[in-house]
Amino acid sequence: MRSWGVLGGLAAALAAGVYVLWGPIAQRKRRRRGLVPGLLNLGNTCFMNSLLQGLSSCPSFIKWLEEFTAQYKTEQNQSAEHQYLSLTLLHLLRALSCQEVPEDDVLDASCLLEVLRIYRWQISSFEEQDAHELFHVLTSSLEDERDRQPRVTHLFDVHSLEPEIIQKQITCRTRGSLPPMSNRWKSQHPFHGRLTSNMVCKHCEHQSPVRYDTFDSLSLSIPAAVWGRPLTLDHCLHHFISSESVKDVVCDNCTKIQAEGTLNGQSIENQRTTFVKQLKLGKLPQCLCIHLQRLSWSNQGTPLKRHEHVQFNEFLIMDIYKYHVPVHKPSQNDLNQKNSEETKPGTKDGIAVKPSDAEQTHGTKSLIMNGACSTSFLMSSGAFPLAAFPECSSPVYLYRLMAVVVHHGDMHSGHFVTYRRSPPSSKSPLSVSNQWLWISDDTVRKASLQEVLSSSAYLLFYERVHSKVQHQRLELRAEE
């Protein structure tokens, strides 16, 4: 018995030595597989954990935070991280994207709730919250942090100087190029976009001035399902930008036309007509967050959750939803010249069918539609080899799926999980990983792309893919 005790003590000492030297076996395996750290659930904080995992899969957002927080590096105060949301968020996202080596495989994100309290957001860790609402809390708080900073006019920022000075058209001669102007406080976060609202009178076809509204995420309602027809993300996007009639709207142009046909001095009432209103995307962001509205109401007024599966692809083409400045109507001479053209194959009613400049640039509607190309092509991993598919014109606004937030349960209780891409390897940090992960708080495992595309998405995080020409233009703008 005494020898067994000695052997047991030696085994315990050996196990303790192995733990001290190499750490726990689970930790070694996790880092060897390339899995990301999980997040500790502080009560009911799965909504926060899932959102942080989704944001950490967006490299453009992390890069923007790094540029945004560059000013704080000069501050000597060590507690700056606990005062600024941008610093707290950056450190969490860098750790979740394996850009910083965390001490543990399970991180504690309670620091985010603490810094949000400084911004007057009281979010309890024991009450169930919504991940989409937290997303808007973070983006609006980052904008507040940016607006609170002092805006010092740069010496060579002529556009910010007094109008009298600009009118004098002062020119300065320097040796070499002017120093670059800091655009930190003018630049928006990569989720910032703009919506356009277009109103056209049905009677006189007069178009009112286009209105612009900002957005951080596209909140799409799910249209009614048709039997035998699957719901797709395109259906939701088309439903979002579909035109609607607005009745009893004063038309200034109709009133003006009516006044021109009356005698002088006769009062004319404002002419009210029906307008057609349509939304489109005036500015598409670098990072696109799409929220699928799964809240509905019964006839009795009780909230219900919609569980329909909305099909989405790994790649998303947004050209057809982009607003373009309307082209002027052709004159009568242009029409006569067009009618005089000879009838050739591919003509219609004797007039040659020639794509417009916008169609040549952005592709026709049938080619731009998501899903018009091969399904296996759109769902494939890696790059977007358009040359292999000549029937698909090259899209300008192409997005790659980076993360999906899923809600399990009903409107009263549930749980948020995240599908996200694994961070790229240190050997090629600019590449995009094809490995997907399933994350539920502190539990992390590998997942397939098919599993991701089969999930009932609540939040979709896409990031824009730029072509080589677009990359060169962006680099030139950054140098200017």
Side-chain angles (χ1 to χ4, degrees):
M1 294 294 294
R2 184 175 299 175
S3 61
W4 283 108
V6 173
L7 292 176
L10 292 175
L14 180 62
V18 171
Y19 183 88
V20 171
L21 292 176
W22 291 285
I25 302 298
Q27 185 178 16
R28 290 173 58 201
K29 288 183 178 180
R30 176 170 295 181
R31 290 182 179 175
R32 185 167 60 245
R33 294 179 198 161
L35 302 185
V36 299
L39 288 168
L40 182 66
N41 194 317
L42 306 174
N44 283 315
T45 57
C46 60
F47 71 98
M48 178 180 64
N49 297 342
S50 61
L51 179 62
L52 289 175
Q53 293 287 1
L55 293 176
S56 64
S57 65
C58 300
S60 297
F61 184 57
I62 298 178
K63 181 180 178 181
W64 179 85
L65 285 173
E66 291 174 346
E67 297 174 353
F68 184 83
T69 58
Q71 54 154 346
Y72 300 136
K73 295 181 180 179
T74 59
E75 297 185 2
Q76 302 295 328
N77 189 1
Q78 299 295 330
S79 61
E81 178 183 353
H82 304 288
Q83 298 177 2
Y84 299 110
L85 171 63
S86 56
L87 279 175
T88 304
L89 192 58
L90 175 61
H91 290 170
L92 282 173
L93 298 187
R94 285 181 60 88
L96 293 175
S97 58
C98 297
Q99 297 183 26
E100 293 181 359
V101 180
E103 298 179 358
D104 301 317
D105 284 341
V106 179
L107 305 180
D108 185 355
S110 59
C111 55
L112 181 62
L113 297 178
E114 295 175 359
V115 74
L116 284 176
R117 294 188 181 99
I118 301 178
Y119 289 72
R120 299 182 179 180
W121 291 101
Q122 298 298 328
I123 301 177
S124 174
S125 61
F126 296 97
E127 297 179 0
E128 294 189 0
Q129 308 287 345
D130 182 58
H132 183 236
E133 293 181 0
L134 179 62
F135 173 79
H136 282 291
V137 167
L138 295 179
T139 54
S140 61
S141 299
L142 288 173
E143 292 174 358
D144 292 341
E145 179 180 334
R146 180 201 61 198
D147 295 338
R148 286 201 305 266
Q149 301 300 325
R151 301 190 182 189
V152 180
T153 302
H154 195 278
L155 179 60
F156 298 100
D157 191 358
V158 181
H159 299 285
S160 299
L161 300 177
E162 294 295 331
E164 294 80 8
I165 300 180
I166 299 178
Q167 292 176 0
K168 294 180 181 179
Q169 298 181 354
I170 296 178
T171 57
C172 56
R173 298 179 180 179
T174 59
R175 296 180 180 179
S177 59
L178 296 177
M181 290 184 295
S182 176
N183 200 30
R184 181 169 61 248
W185 305 120
K186 296 180 182 179
S187 63
Q188 298 283 353
H189 56 75
F191 288 99
H192 180 269
R194 289 187 180 273
L195 288 173
T196 61
S197 177
N198 191 23
M199 296 275 289
V200 179
C201 177
K202 296 181 68 175
H203 185 261
C204 68
E205 297 184 355
H206 173 73
Q207 177 176 322
S208 300
V210 179
R211 291 186 55 187
Y212 290 87
D213 297 306
T214 62
F215 73 89
D216 296 333
S217 66
L218 292 179
S219 189
L220 308 180
S221 59
I222 302 176
V226 179
W227 186 85
R229 181 183 177 186
L231 278 172
T232 66
L233 186 58
D234 262 324
H235 292 151
C236 301
L237 287 168
H238 275 284
H239 184 70
F240 179 75
I241 68 169
S242 60
S243 59
E244 60 176 337
S245 297
V246 183
K247 298 181 180 180
D248 200 27
V249 180
V250 175
C251 180
D252 296 334
N253 190 57
C254 289
T255 305
K256 179 181 178 181
I257 295 174
Q258 186 70 17
E260 291 176 352
T262 59
L263 298 177
N264 294 332
Q266 185 177 357
S267 62
I268 298 297
E269 295 182 357
N270 292 331
Q271 299 297 311
R272 294 184 175 270
T273 62
T274 301
F275 276 67
V276 177
K277 179 182 178 181
Q278 185 176 28
L279 293 177
K280 282 220 169 182
L281 302 176
K283 175 185 175 296
L284 281 163
Q286 172 63 24
C287 298
L288 180 61
C289 176
I290 297 179
H291 165 235
L292 295 177
Q293 300 177 10
R294 296 194 173 273
L295 172 63
S296 62
W297 300 90
S298 65
N299 296 331
Q300 293 74 25
T302 57
L304 299 175
K305 180 185 175 181
R306 300 188 61 175
H307 296 272
E308 296 98 327
H309 174 67
V310 178
Q311 292 184 2
F312 57 94
N313 292 327
E314 183 182 7
F315 290 96
L316 176 65
I317 304 174
M318 294 293 292
D319 295 54
I320 193 175
Y321 310 108
K322 179 72 170 60
Y323 171 78
H324 300 285
V325 178
V327 184
H328 70 279
K329 294 183 179 180
S331 62
Q332 188 64 33
N333 295 332
D334 296 335
L335 294 176
N336 294 335
Q337 182 180 359
K338 192 173 184 180
N339 291 331
S340 63
E341 295 181 356
E342 296 180 357
T343 303
K344 298 179 181 180
T347 61
K348 182 179 181 181
D349 299 331
I351 301 177
V353 179
K354 185 178 180 180
S356 62
D357 295 338
E359 291 175 340
Q360 291 177 353
T361 305
H362 306 290
T364 59
K365 180 178 180 180
S366 60
L367 297 182
I368 284 180
M369 284 291 294
N370 295 306
C373 305
S374 172
T375 303
S376 60
F377 162 60
L378 284 175
M379 293 184 179
S380 63
S381 57
F384 202 77
L386 287 169
F389 295 86
E391 70 273 11
C392 299
S393 61
S394 178
V396 177
Y397 298 96
L398 173 66
Y399 287 82
R400 178 189 283 113
L401 183 67
M402 304 304 293
V404 182
V405 175
V406 181
H407 179 264
H408 298 286
D410 54 24
M411 299 305 303
H412 304 286
S413 62
H415 182 64
F416 286 99
V417 299
T418 303
Y419 291 98
R420 58 159 293 183
R421 291 184 185 270
S422 179
S425 61
S426 57
K427 297 180 180 179
S428 55
L430 299 180
S431 63
V432 178
S433 174
N434 296 325
Q435 179 60 58
W436 284 87
L437 304 174
W438 176 88
I439 306 174
S440 174
D441 292 331
D442 57 349
T443 303
V444 184
R445 65 169 175 82
K446 292 184 178 181
S448 63
L449 176 61
Q450 190 61 38
E451 180 183 352
V452 176
L453 300 180
S454 301
S455 62
S456 296
Y458 180 65
L459 293 178
L460 295 167
F461 290 94
Y462 283 92
E463 186 152 325
R464 187 177 175 186
V465 181
H466 295 280
S467 63
K468 292 183 179 179
V469 178
Q470 292 171 337
H471 271 301
Q472 294 175 356
R473 292 177 180 176
L474 292 175
E475 290 176 356
L476 290 176
R477 290 180 182 178
E479 294 176 357
E480 290 179 352

